[in-house]
Amino acid sequence: MSSSAKSNPPEWRAYPRADGRKGIRNVVVVAYLVECAHHVSRRIVSQVDDLDVHLIGFPGCFPNDYASRMMRAVCTHPNVGAVLLVSLGCESMDRDALQQAIVDSGRPAELLVIQENGGTASTIAEGVRRVRQLRDTLAGAATVPMGVDELVVGTICGGSDGTSGITANPAVGRCFDALVADGAACVFEETGELIGCENIMAERAATPELGELIQASVAKAERYYRTMGFGSFAPGNADGGLTTQEEKSMGAYSKSGSSAISGLIKPGDIPPAGGLYLLDVVPDGEPRFGFPNIADNAEIVEMIACGCHLTLFTTGRGSVVGSAISPVIKICANPETYERLSEDMDINAGKILTGQASLDELGEEIYRRVFAVAGGERSLSEALGHQEFILTYKSFEPIGPACLPLRQVN
C-alpha cells in the first residue's frame, strides 16, 4: 500500500457513548426476546420503514448465559443509540435486567410486553409509536471527532471459492496490516476454518503463552468438528474449485495479514487496544449445541458483540447478506461473480486476476472504503436494507490474562 494511505489516516464524525467508545451509526434497535415476539417486532420495524431501525433478537425460551451476554453486548454496541425490547411475557430472558443494562449505558430503552399490552395489533401500533419517538430523540444528536485508533474492524469469508485465497482474502490482509499500523483493532475468525494454521499463528503471537492458547483453541475446534461428524468445508466450496480443508484454511488465514497477534478473544470480549485479535467462536466444553455457527451471520453477530464497527466480508461464490447494527462491506473475489452480483458487491477483488490491480492496490481500495463507510457512506448491503441477525445457544468460559498479554492497566 502507498505511504500516503498509512501516513495520513483520516478522522470523521461519530457518536460519543458513555463508556468512552464512539459509534459510526446511531440506530434504533427493536429486539425480540423470544421467537414468540419475533413477528410483532418484525412488523414494527417494517411499518416504521427506516434504514436506521434494525431488528435483532434471540429465539430461545430457555435461559442461556451466552445469549444474555450477547444481547447486552449488542444492545449497547457503539452503533446503537436507543433500544425497544419486545417481550412475549413468559420467556426466560431477564428483560428487566437487560433494559437496566441498556439504561445504565446511557441509552434510552423502552419495553413492551405483548401479554400485558393487549396482543399483536395493539403492541405493533404502540411499538411503531415508541420507535418513532426514539428516532426523534436521536435526531440531531451531537457528534465528535473519531480517529482510526478508535475503530474496531472485523473480517469474515463466506461462500469461498478457488479465487478467494488469492484475491479478496489476502487483499483484506493488506488492509488489516495498514489499519493495525494506524492503531485500529482488527478481529479475524474462526478457529474452525483455521485448522492446520495453528502453528503459523502461534509464531505470530505476542507472547509464547498466547501462542499456546491459540494452538489449544484450534485443537478444540478440531475436536468439536470431529465429534459433530463434519467440518467447515462445504459443498459450495468444492463446487467453486477448492479441493481440500487445508486450501480453504490457508485462504481464510490470509485475511489476517502479517501483523503480530495481540490477543485471543471470545464472543463479547472487546479488544482493549489497537492490534490484531483472533476470535474463538467454537464453544467450550463438550459439543452440545450443534454446528458452532449455522450461518455466516452468526459469526458477524459475535464480532459485533466484540465491538466491531463494521465487517469486511469476502466471497467468491457470492453472498448477498449484510447485518443489523454494523455495516458489512462485501469484497468479491471472483470477477465473474462480481459481474453477476455487482449490485451487492462493494469491491471487485477479481481485478487482481484480470491484471487490473495488484494486491497492494486492492488493499488500499478496501482501506479507503473502510473510512468512507465509517464516515457515513452506506455500504451496498446496508443501503439495500440487509439486516440479517442470528443468535443461538452456546457456552464459553471466560478468557484468562494470557489471552490479552498487552492489555494496558489504567
Side-chain angles (χ1 to χ4, degrees):
M1 293 178 59
S2 70
S3 59
S4 61
K6 299 178 183 179
S7 61
N8 299 301
E11 284 190 346
W12 57 92
R13 305 295 295 184
Y15 300 93
R17 306 303 180 194
D19 62 4
R21 295 186 291 171
K22 298 172 184 176
I24 65 172
R25 298 292 185 270
N26 203 27
V27 303
V28 173
V29 160
V30 177
Y32 58 90
L33 305 185
V34 66
E35 184 63 23
C36 307
H38 189 167
H39 172 73
V40 168
S41 303
R42 185 175 63 250
R43 289 296 299 275
I44 291 170
V45 172
S46 176
Q47 289 189 24
V48 172
D49 192 22
D50 187 325
L51 285 177
D52 290 318
V53 176
H54 292 204
L55 176 66
I56 71 167
F58 176 60
C61 186
F62 296 99
N64 179 257
D65 290 341
Y66 161 80
S68 296
R69 186 184 187 204
M70 292 298 98
M71 288 295 285
R72 287 194 300 272
V74 171
C75 286
T76 58
H77 185 278
N79 289 352
V80 174
V83 180
L84 171 66
L85 302 175
V86 183
S87 163
L88 174 63
C90 55
E91 70 276 1
S92 297
M93 178 73 70
D94 189 339
R95 59 180 181 265
D96 294 327
L98 177 57
Q99 183 181 20
Q100 190 60 52
I102 300 167
V103 170
D104 290 345
S105 76
R107 294 165 172 82
E110 299 281 341
L111 172 65
L112 285 176
V113 182
I114 297 170
Q115 292 171 347
E116 299 173 2
N117 203 70
T120 297
S122 57
T123 305
I124 292 171
E126 179 63 12
V128 169
R129 186 185 70 81
R130 294 200 193 186
V131 168
R132 286 174 175 160
Q133 283 184 334
L134 291 171
R135 288 293 295 139
D136 289 342
T137 299
L138 297 182
T143 60
V144 297
M146 180 176 179
V148 187
D149 59 348
E150 300 172 283
L151 192 64
V152 186
V153 180
T155 188
I156 180 176
C157 48
S160 300
D161 71 1
T163 69
S164 297
I166 56 178
T167 61
N169 290 357
V172 167
R174 297 291 205 280
C175 176
F176 260 30
D177 286 344
L179 289 170
V180 169
D182 287 336
C186 293
V187 181
F188 73 107
E189 49 70 55
E190 65 160 312
T191 49
E193 291 190 351
L194 293 168
I195 295 170
C197 300
E198 59 271 22
N199 294 332
I200 308 172
M201 291 190 292
E203 292 174 357
R204 292 171 57 192
T207 64
E209 293 77 14
L210 175 60
E212 292 174 2
L213 290 172
I214 290 172
Q215 291 172 317
S217 71
V218 177
K220 177 189 68 171
E222 188 174 14
R223 289 193 302 272
Y224 195 105
Y225 280 105
R226 186 183 301 116
T227 301
M228 296 303 301
F230 47 79
S232 65
F233 193 90
N237 299 142
D239 292 342
L242 287 170
T243 60
T244 63
Q245 177 66 59
E246 290 80 4
E247 188 179 8
K248 183 180 181 184
S249 293
M250 288 302 295
Y253 168 77
S254 67
K255 299 196 309 299
S256 67
S258 60
S259 304
I261 299 176
S262 300
L264 174 68
I265 58 177
K266 297 180 182 181
D269 295 323
I270 298 172
L276 179 66
Y277 297 83
L278 171 61
L279 176 59
D280 178 7
V281 301
V282 176
D284 292 327
E286 293 301 316
R288 53 194 176 117
F289 295 119
F291 196 75
N293 275 320
I294 60 176
D296 296 323
N297 282 93
E299 293 168 10
I300 295 177
V301 169
E302 290 176 327
M303 287 191 288
I304 291 171
C306 293
C308 290
H309 291 93
L310 53 84
T311 298
L312 304 177
F313 190 129
T314 68
T315 181
R317 299 300 305 276
S319 176
V320 301
V321 299
S323 183
I325 296 177
S326 294
V328 171
I329 298 174
K330 304 297 262 310
I331 303 155
C332 189
N334 190 315
E336 295 179 357
T337 304
Y338 180 83
E339 289 300 318
R340 292 195 304 271
L341 296 172
S342 60
E343 66 183 35
D344 288 275
M345 303 295 155
D346 295 271
I347 291 175
N348 177 17
K351 290 186 292 187
I352 295 170
L353 287 181
T354 58
Q356 298 170 280
S358 67
L359 271 175
D360 283 342
E361 288 168 339
L362 252 298
E364 184 166 336
E365 183 178 347
I366 298 167
Y367 176 91
R368 296 189 185 282
R369 183 65 172 155
V370 165
F371 296 126
V373 172
E377 184 177 324
R378 294 193 187 274
S379 71
L380 292 183
S381 63
E382 186 182 15
L384 288 166
H386 281 283
Q387 295 183 10
E388 287 83 359
F389 188 93
I390 303 171
L391 184 58
T392 59
Y393 287 102
K394 283 190 178 184
S395 178
F396 288 96
E397 297 296 326
I399 61 173
C403 290
L404 296 173
L406 305 182
R407 179 192 290 271
Q408 297 178 356
V409 179
N410 295 325

